[in-house]
Amino acid sequence: MFSLSLQAQNTILYSNYFLNPSLYNPAYTGANGYTELFLNFRRQWSSFEGAPTTATLNAHLPLSYKTSIGLTAFQDQAGIVRTTSGMATFAYQVHLGTNIEQVHKLAFGISAGMT
């Protein structure tokens, strides 16, 4: 006989990631070139006790036309389990055109956080 141990994690799910793609990809932080503030709240299966609830606050601040920083705070609750996370993001853009108005660019991003 043998035994098998499995572990899993509950990944926060967003159905509107196209409005704030930096939640999944840090390279999108500050990609629009202006300061942005996002507030997201989601409650699934609201008629059930202990239903999953997720709240997110996300802010982007461009430092120049090439660099941006961002801060994200998450709070996720499912039943009796509550998870609170914070993340800082840095993004760098390399513009491939001859001037800043051309939208061709490569973007790189890195995030670090604590849960």
Side-chain angles (χ1 to χ4, degrees), residues 5 9 63 69 71 104 113:
S5 174
Q9 65 184 19
L63 301 176
I69 58 171
L71 294 172
H104 304 293

Side-chain angles (χ1 to χ4, degrees), residues 15-105:
S15 59
N16 59 352
Y17 62 90
F18 57 91
L19 296 174
N20 187 5
S22 69
L23 291 172
Y24 291 110
N25 186 348
Y28 278 101
T29 300
N32 293 331
Y34 47 84
T35 301
E36 297 178 293
L37 178 66
F38 296 95
L39 181 60
N40 183 34
F41 180 78
R42 178 182 174 143
R43 177 174 287 161
Q44 299 177 354
W45 312 315
S46 60
S47 60
F48 293 102
E49 186 177 335
T53 303
T54 303
T56 306
L57 176 65
N58 184 263
H60 306 170
L61 175 67
L63 301 176
S64 69
Y65 75 98
K66 289 185 176 185
T67 60
S68 300
I69 58 171
L71 294 172
T72 304
F74 301 99
Q75 184 165 0
D76 188 46
Q77 183 170 357
I80 62 170
V81 178
R82 177 180 284 181
T83 305
T84 303
S85 302
M87 188 168 29
T89 303
F90 176 79
Y92 184 80
Q93 298 175 7
V94 178
H95 294 270
L96 302 175
T98 56
N99 59 29
I100 212 168
E101 286 80 28
Q102 292 181 343
V103 293
H104 304 293
K105 58 187 170 185

